[in-house]
Amino acid sequence: FAALAESGRVRLLFVDDEALISFAMRRFFQAHGFDVDCASELAAAQRLIAERCYDVVIADLRLSGLGSTEGLDVIAWARERCPAARSPR
């Protein structure tokens, strides 16, 4: 991701229902030059994606707990809205 940040301001959406993880990730990526938004649930992530496109989306795959696929839903929705969005593999 360092090369991405060096190419200009990169918009990153981090989606996780654990506040401490979101806080730490926001600080880490901001310190490396990213513009970071965080969401703690699917609906909040969808609102943010509807308002702006992101270059990178990182989502907790089990956003609402065991058996949930909401994290994958966030990534799919971001790719529909912003085809250039990337998700780390």
Side-chain angles (χ1 to χ4, degrees):
F1 286 127
L4 258 174
E6 290 172 9
S7 67
R9 285 307 257 189
V10 175
R11 297 194 61 97
L12 182 143
L13 175 60
F14 187 80
V15 186
D16 197 305
D17 54 350
E18 294 187 44
L20 288 176
I21 291 174
S22 292
F23 175 78
M25 296 302 281
R26 177 191 299 267
R27 295 221 16 190
F28 174 82
F29 282 106
Q30 284 177 335
H32 288 86
F34 289 79
D35 285 330
V36 181
D37 289 326
C38 292
S40 62
E41 61 185 14
L42 178 62
Q46 288 176 322
R47 278 193 301 276
L48 289 169
I49 293 166
E51 294 171 5
R52 62 188 68 90
C53 280
Y54 291 91
D55 301 299
V56 178
V57 176
I58 299 174
D60 178 358
L61 295 181
R62 294 189 203 134
L63 193 54
S64 297
L66 295 174
S68 171
T69 60
E70 287 186 354
L72 293 174
D73 295 340
V74 168
I75 293 168
W77 209 76
R79 284 194 171 166
E80 285 177 18
R81 170 84 171 90
C82 309
R86 295 174 221 152
S87 183
R89 296 175 190 236

